[in-house]
Amino acid sequence: EVQLVESGGGSVQAGGSLRLSCTASGFTFDGSDMGWFRQAPGNECELVSHITASGTAYYADSVKGRFTISQDNAKTTAYLQMNSLKPEDTAVYYCAADRPPLTVVPGDCSLSADFGYWGQGTQVTVSS
């Protein structure tokens, strides 16, 4: 059974930090692209960051310089270190994995979630 389990979400004040973790099982982790999506109420799904199977990391402009994606293949876990958090970072964050490339469908995250493997999501709330 494929599972992606996120943890590390929570509430923090603006300027603070959180680290999200995504522990995977049931598929070939080190051969997959891993990504972090987020969606706030009323907003479209956003691919915040992803890391390719070859280890190249990409970031949305909205988080560049503040967020860092990484993965530990031995632990089959991906991480998203989020620093200098802003209220506009408030959203549900989802971990996703897929055979390269990671699929992104414009609109609601449920559309992209039809492709690859997705976790249940973890809430991040940043207060001003």
Side-chain angles (χ1 to χ4, degrees), residues 46-124:
E46 179 183 19
L47 177 58
V48 172
S49 178
H50 75 279
I51 185 166
T52 66
S54 59
T56 303
Y58 298 88
Y59 300 93
D61 287 343
S62 58
V63 305
K64 203 170 291 184
R66 300 188 296 122
F67 290 12
T68 304
I69 192 171
S70 61
Q71 63 184 42
D72 183 332
N73 289 338
K75 296 182 179 179
T76 64
T77 299
Y79 304 96
L80 186 68
Q81 178 67 43
M82 306 186 294
N83 298 330
S84 302
L85 283 161
K86 304 175 181 180
E88 51 263 44
D89 294 318
T90 295
V92 178
Y93 284 70
Y94 300 92
C95 171
D98 203 352
R99 290 185 175 184
L102 195 65
T103 300
V104 181
V105 179
D108 193 87
C109 279
S110 62
L111 300 176
S112 295
D114 284 340
F115 302 89
Y117 309 119
W118 279 58
Q120 292 301 304
T122 186
Q123 176 71 46
V124 171

